[in-house]
Amino acid sequence: MLLLLLAVLTVTTLLVPLLGRPLGRAAGWPIALVLALAALWVGARGPSLWNHDRVLEASLPWMPALGVGLHLRMDGLAWLFCVLVLGVGALVMAYSTRYFPPGRRTGFYVLMSAFALAMTGLVLADDVVLLFVFWELTTICSFHLIGLSGPGASRPAVRTFLLTAMGGLALLTAVVLLWVRTGTTRLSAILGDPSWTQDTAFTGTVAVLVVIAVFTKSAQFPFHYWLPDAMAASTPVSAYLHAAAMVKAGVYLAMRFSPAFADTPLWGTTLVVAGLTTAVVGAVLALRRHDLKELTAYSTVSQLGFLVAVIGVGTPQALVAAVVHTAAHALFKSALFMSVGVIDHQTGTRDLRELGGLRRAMPVTAAVSALAALSMAGVPPLLGFVSKENLFEALLQTPGPAWAGPVAGAVAVVAASLTFAYAFRFVYLAFGGSGRRRPDREPPREAGALLLAAPVVTAAAGLVLGLGATALNPAVSWAAGDAVLAPADSHLALWHGLNPALGMSAAALLLGALLTWASRSGEKLAGRRFLPVRGTGVFERVHAAVIALGTRVGDLTRTDAPTRHLAVPFVMLIALAAVVCALGLDYGLPPAPTSRALDWLLVALVAVAVLTSVVTRSRMAALALVGVAGFATALWFVFLGAVDVALTQLLVETLTVVVAVLVLRRFPREFHRVRRSRTALTAAVALAAGTVAGLGAYLLTGRRELSGVSDYLLSHAPEDTGGTNVVNTILVDYRALDTLGELTVLGVAGLIIIAVLRSSGLTANGEVSPRVAGTNPVWDADDNTVIMRTVARWLIPLLVLWSLYLLLRGHNAPGGGFIAGLVGGSAFALAYLTAPSASAARIRLAYPAFIAAGVLTAAATGLLGYADGSFLRPLHAEIPLPWGGYYHFTSALVFDVGVYLAVVGVLLTALNQLGLPRSGRKSPPEPDTHRTHDPVQHGPATGGTR
């Protein structure tokens, strides 16, 4: 059922674009209905689970080879957050249908639906890898949702993304460390594994990483500034982000790991100190704000500080308080933000200096805001009062010295008094007094019922649940017990008699009232600067410093000179060799002779080609000589029995020459002259590097016995993959994910060729300009390619057929998608080289579509693997043949088709983009068919310019 829940949310997110056009802003209604039904389903599961001490679990293979799966688990803590995420999400979606003006809001609803999916998946995840994926998805969704608000929101979106992504990297590090130490990715197993908690140093390291993740996500000091900064987002986004999503992810993570770090002093001390500091700082900053939305955002920071501090206490009673305050905060915070949206929607401003007296014109909004603010201030009989009393009681039990509890309690009372003051400021300045309406604005009036429905529900829920607090005890005990992994008895009630918590609540309210009176509802504090710096200012300075440092580092190699580029790996190689020598690593000489007479003949051929290529002045000659060295290497591979590698090398060398010739046409015929001293220096460096590389190859390689991996692949490939060509099975079966990544990179490279050359004006933008039409792709192709054109008529179809043959046989014999793609590309290259003109040479095929089709085909083949349990797992089938026997079909063949298409697409891109003359380039002379050609007067067949 849990998998079905995520599937429903995923399908809903994918279907949102279909709803945007016909429904416009009303597309939020069906989404709200889905989320509401999901919330009701999850909520209804609660009593049956907590009454029988059960949890819901579900699992689906994902990456079985790594032990990672789609493991979901709904215990009490996950149940609580699921209800909040889905319930508040449904109300915010419904609210959005009337908050926004008429029109399509497809992007907003897609991202909000994805946000709900990510948060639901995060709290249900019982696999740390899956948890991290959903954690990062919330970061991505928040970034785009903030950025949707317009150009002014772009910088806040970037600041939010970078800061929360930093926390994500810390969480990823913690996930990897826990995975390696415990040998599992199951979160429930990790939390119950004693091996890692017994190593205090390791536990402390993981605790620090989790703290960073929690603090950045839940806006704890000194990372608190991003949350008010994110108020650039629209009000529905803020209502969801502040109440039930994003920031609650950090709270959930802290609760989930609380039992694991309970005995780690660093964990508890850091959370309590930072949490209470955040509570006070956030409250002070909220009290100074004139913007209602900004005031409410800083109040979220303060309330999150309370939550983090009480989680740091770590006792069962503390987790009970955290659970109750999480629920109370979700209700009053969503009501407050939506009320701010209503005020802004109806009055056109959020500035307290321009508001006042709205209680008469907007009585329902005033009542909703008052209920939510009173709950936030901890005034009875609202749920916020119940949660605040539990917070005080828990903080008095802060572990450590005897004075730790009283000090923590005193700081909490101060923060709570500030909470009362800014809550009063919110309500009184907006709805009290006579009003300060600007004359150029229409008189305000109450919003419609559909816009008010959502905040009314959440505000009323805070009142109802406060009055019926005892009814929450089973659910709270269940959630807190699963959070602390121990029994947690909840005794919620409005009245517990005279106790310290009640006295602290009274003191907070009294101090808050005095502060309100003394500061004239905060007006004396508003605008004053209490901190010497602003968080956003610090971020921008740090960001600028990092960019400047990156620029300085990049300047070391930001040049077209190959020397500076090669210097870095050369120096690193020397340093690595020095380290190896210093450590005394001795690999010894190969035990048997590693060369034959034929090898030395090939070495001599390669050496002659290389030496002549470095002394020649002609670019074309150098290219041809490098090709000779490549062909000799391919021949060497043949002699060693690596037919696949040899064929690949041969084709790559051939096509490299073709493409390189197209590029070299735009360069002078000869290399520029260099000083003899530089030639001598580069020669010395080349000889030294070659000697070191050769010596290393001699010492570290040899004809030894096969390694364990090689032996396994040779013996198990036929059984595992159904193929006998081990090279191909490694590429498309064993390491298919690597091949898919390389295929994607290849496709992106092809698209970059198109983008860069077109944007720089080096091609005719895909169109053959009039000046170029009729121009030869090579100079006087009619004279130079008569024989080639005659042969090509028969050879090109044969090359295409051969490429398909190599594609089909690659699983059991030399061939495969990459080699077949190169052969197919050779056919197109031959068609290009034998064409009589540029217009005829242009291969009019949608080569970007070839690239996209190849990558998508390979990826779709990977998705088919889920039918057998995991991504990219090959599927096999025996297909009967009409003439008898069976053909062993494997989905790896379809994967190879994707490789084939992408390779052909990239080669077509190179031929079309590099082959056409540049726009405005002086074209070679038109061939004169009425006179006898004089080959002496024309350039070489390669088309070099004079």
Side-chain angles (χ1 to χ4, degrees):
M1 296 301 291
L2 297 181
L3 289 171
L4 179 60
L5 174 62
L6 285 189
V8 168
L9 296 178
T10 302
V11 171
T12 301
T13 304
L14 296 176
L15 292 179
V16 169
L18 301 180
L19 303 174
R21 183 179 295 274
L23 297 180
R25 66 175 182 174
W29 287 118
I31 303 170
L33 178 62
V34 171
L35 294 181
L37 292 175
L40 290 174
W41 180 85
V42 173
R45 301 280 77 76
S48 61
L49 294 175
W50 72 58
N51 288 331
H52 299 88
D53 195 24
R54 293 175 54 239
V55 297
L56 286 179
E57 292 186 316
S59 184
L60 188 70
W62 182 20
M63 294 182 282
L66 299 176
V68 179
L70 298 175
H71 303 299
L72 305 177
R73 186 173 186 269
M74 189 170 74
D75 59 2
L77 187 62
W79 175 85
L80 168 71
F81 278 88
C82 259
V83 171
L84 295 179
V85 168
L86 297 171
V88 174
L91 293 172
V92 172
M93 290 295 187
Y95 173 84
S96 301
T97 61
R98 287 298 175 269
Y99 175 81
F100 291 114
R104 294 173 61 185
R105 296 286 171 177
T106 305
F108 168 81
Y109 285 124
V110 168
L111 290 169
M112 288 290 280
S113 301
F115 214 162
L117 167 65
M119 280 299 302
T120 305
L122 188 151
V123 300
L124 291 178
D126 192 36
D127 187 287
V128 289
V129 175
L130 184 64
L131 182 145
F132 172 75
V133 170
F134 283 121
W135 177 279
E136 289 301 285
L137 184 56
T138 64
T139 299
I140 295 170
C141 289
S142 65
F143 167 71
H144 287 290
L145 282 168
I146 297 169
L148 275 180
S149 298
S154 60
R155 196 57 195 167
V158 169
R159 286 193 290 261
T160 299
F161 179 80
L162 291 178
L163 185 63
T164 52
M166 181 183 72
L169 292 176
L171 179 61
L172 176 61
T173 306
V175 164
V176 173
L177 291 176
L178 292 172
W179 185 359
V180 172
R181 176 58 65 95
T182 62
T184 180
T185 60
R186 292 292 294 266
L187 180 58
S188 54
I190 288 174
L191 294 176
D193 192 320
S195 62
W196 70 279
T197 55
Q198 293 171 354
D199 185 344
T200 56
F202 181 84
T203 306
T205 301
V206 175
V208 170
L209 294 171
V210 174
V211 163
I212 294 174
V214 170
F215 280 19
T216 54
K217 204 75 161 185
S218 291
Q220 296 301 289
F221 185 85
F223 309 115
H224 63 286
Y225 63 87
W226 77 259
L227 193 54
D229 195 32
M231 75 167 188
S234 62
T235 298
V237 174
S238 299
Y240 197 36
L241 187 149
H242 287 241
M246 189 66 171
V247 296
K248 289 296 174 67
V251 173
Y252 170 79
L253 187 70
M255 287 188 182
R256 185 58 80 188
F257 276 91
S258 180
F261 301 127
D263 297 327
T264 305
L266 177 66
W267 169 265
T269 302
T270 303
L271 261 60
V272 171
V273 173
L276 290 177
T277 302
T278 304
V280 174
V281 170
V284 170
L285 294 176
L287 193 57
R288 298 175 51 248
R289 302 297 157 179
H290 293 296
D291 188 316
L292 272 177
K293 191 174 179 183
E294 195 173 4
L295 184 156
T296 311
Y298 275 111
S299 73
T300 302
V301 172
S302 181
Q303 297 304 309
L304 291 173
F306 277 117
L307 278 170
V308 169
V310 79
I311 294 171
V313 175
T315 62
Q317 182 60 38
L319 268 297
V320 166
V323 166
V324 180
H325 198 63
T326 297
H329 177 264
L331 295 175
F332 65 66
K333 191 59 60 176
S334 58
L336 282 172
F337 265 108
M338 287 189 280
S339 296
V340 171
V342 171
I343 295 170
D344 191 15
H345 189 273
Q346 297 302 113
T347 66
T349 183
R350 301 189 308 247
D351 195 326
L352 287 171
R353 293 167 294 188
E354 299 178 7
L355 295 172
L358 295 180
R359 67 187 183 280
R360 292 182 292 270
M362 305 172 64
V364 178
T365 306
V368 168
S369 300
L371 281 175
L374 290 172
S375 182
M376 181 170 62
V379 176
L382 293 146
L383 185 60
F385 168 74
V386 177
S387 67
K388 195 65 66 70
E389 278 209 329
N390 280 270
L391 287 175
F392 288 149
E393 186 177 349
L395 288 170
L396 289 175
Q397 302 170 9
T398 300
W403 50 263
V407 170
V411 175
V413 168
V414 172
S417 65
L418 292 168
T419 301
F420 178 88
Y422 65 68
F424 182 87
R425 175 178 170 80
F426 181 109
V427 176
Y428 179 74
L429 294 184
F431 299 98
S434 58
R436 295 175 288 276
R437 182 175 59 87
R438 285 170 50 177
D440 58 335
R441 289 201 176 116
E442 293 292 330
R445 59 182 178 178
E446 188 61 272
L450 292 178
L451 184 60
L452 287 170
V456 166
V457 169
T458 52
L463 176 61
V464 172
L465 293 177
L467 293 170
T470 54
L472 298 176
N473 283 320
V476 172
S477 297
W478 180 43
D482 285 335
V484 78
L485 298 181
D489 295 328
S490 173
H491 303 288
L492 303 181
L494 277 174
W495 178 254
H496 287 288
L498 299 176
N499 57 21
L502 181 62
M504 295 169 71
S505 293
L509 295 177
L510 179 60
L511 287 174
L514 291 174
L515 179 61
T516 302
W517 174 77
S519 64
R520 295 182 183 177
S521 300
E523 286 300 303
K524 288 186 176 182
L525 301 177
R528 293 189 179 183
R529 191 168 183 174
F530 290 91
L531 297 177
V533 294
R534 291 177 58 90
T536 53
V538 172
F539 176 91
E540 292 296 345
R541 286 194 289 271
V542 172
H543 184 261
V546 171
I547 296 298
L549 177 62
T551 303
R552 289 180 179 273
V553 174
D555 287 340
L556 298 176
T557 55
R558 189 176 290 109
T559 175
D560 293 335
T563 305
R564 293 179 61 179
H565 285 285
L566 295 175
V568 175
F570 184 76
V571 172
M572 294 301 297
L573 184 63
I574 297 297
L576 180 62
V579 171
V580 172
C581 293
L583 294 177
L585 299 180
D586 182 14
Y587 291 94
L589 296 177
T594 58
S595 61
R596 297 166 296 186
L598 183 59
D599 295 334
W600 291 108
L601 178 62
L602 293 173
V603 168
L605 181 59
V606 171
V608 170
V610 171
L611 288 174
T612 51
S613 67
V614 298
V615 298
T616 183
R617 292 283 312 283
S618 170
R619 294 179 188 270
M620 292 297 178
L623 177 62
L625 290 167
V626 170
V628 170
F631 289 137
T633 304
L635 187 61
W636 209 340
F637 288 143
V638 172
F639 293 152
L640 293 174
V643 180
D644 278 281
V645 181
L647 188 55
T648 303
Q649 174 76 13
L650 184 65
L651 291 166
V652 168
E653 287 295 334
T654 301
L655 293 171
T656 299
V657 169
V658 172
V659 175
V661 165
L662 300 178
V663 176
L664 291 181
R665 294 170 59 202
R666 311 182 194 280
F667 288 87
R669 286 187 173 187
E670 297 182 349
F671 294 108
H672 63 277
R673 295 183 179 275
V674 296
R675 298 188 304 273
R676 289 188 177 182
S677 58
R678 181 175 178 180
T679 302
L681 177 61
T682 53
V685 172
L687 289 173
T691 302
V692 171
L695 185 60
Y698 179 72
L699 293 175
L700 300 177
T701 62
R703 293 190 176 92
R704 299 183 176 90
E705 296 181 359
L706 290 175
S707 66
V709 175
S710 302
D711 184 64
Y712 175 87
L713 293 174
L714 287 172
S715 58
H716 290 79
E719 179 182 354
D720 292 344
T721 66
T724 56
N725 180 6
V726 179
V727 173
N728 185 260
T729 59
I730 291 173
L731 293 176
V732 299
D733 290 284
Y734 290 113
R735 298 184 60 186
L737 186 61
D738 287 347
T739 304
L740 178 61
E742 294 163 0
L743 178 63
T744 305
V745 171
L746 181 67
V748 171
L751 298 178
I752 289 174
I753 290 174
I754 299 173
V756 170
L757 293 182
R758 287 187 177 182
S759 64
S760 62
L762 291 177
T763 70
N765 296 322
E767 301 293 335
V768 182
S769 63
R771 297 186 62 183
V772 179
T775 303
N776 294 325
V778 293
W779 206 302
D780 287 329
D782 280 334
D783 281 346
N784 296 323
T785 60
V786 173
I787 297 178
M788 284 186 66
R789 290 201 307 276
T790 303
V791 174
R793 293 175 183 176
W794 301 95
L795 186 58
I796 290 175
L798 291 177
L799 284 173
V800 173
L801 291 175
W802 187 34
S803 72
L804 297 177
Y805 172 69
L806 290 172
L807 173 66
L808 295 174
R809 76 194 291 262
H811 215 50
N812 295 287
F818 187 71
I819 293 175
L822 293 175
V823 173
S826 300
F828 289 111
L830 184 58
Y832 177 86
L833 292 176
T834 59
S837 67
S839 57
R842 185 166 178 261
I843 302 167
R844 291 169 176 80
L845 293 175
Y847 40 91
F850 272 68
I851 297 173
V855 176
L856 291 176
T857 300
T861 308
L863 295 175
L864 288 176
Y866 279 117
D868 194 29
S870 69
F871 185 64
L872 285 172
R873 181 183 290 277
L875 305 178
H876 303 272
E878 296 287 345
I879 301 176
L881 299 174
W883 53 84
Y886 291 89
Y887 173 72
H888 182 83
F889 173 80
T890 173
S891 60
L893 174 62
V894 183
F895 185 88
D896 253 347
V897 170
V899 176
Y900 179 90
L901 291 173
V903 171
V904 170
V906 171
L907 289 173
L908 286 173
T909 298
L911 292 172
N912 278 276
Q913 294 297 311
L914 298 175
L916 286 177
R918 173 165 48 103
S919 297
R921 173 181 177 265
K922 185 177 180 180
S923 303
E926 291 280 355
D928 186 358
T929 57
H930 300 290
R931 66 177 177 84
T932 303
H933 289 291
D934 181 4
V936 178
Q937 296 178 3
H938 299 285
T942 53
T945 57
R946 293 190 181 277

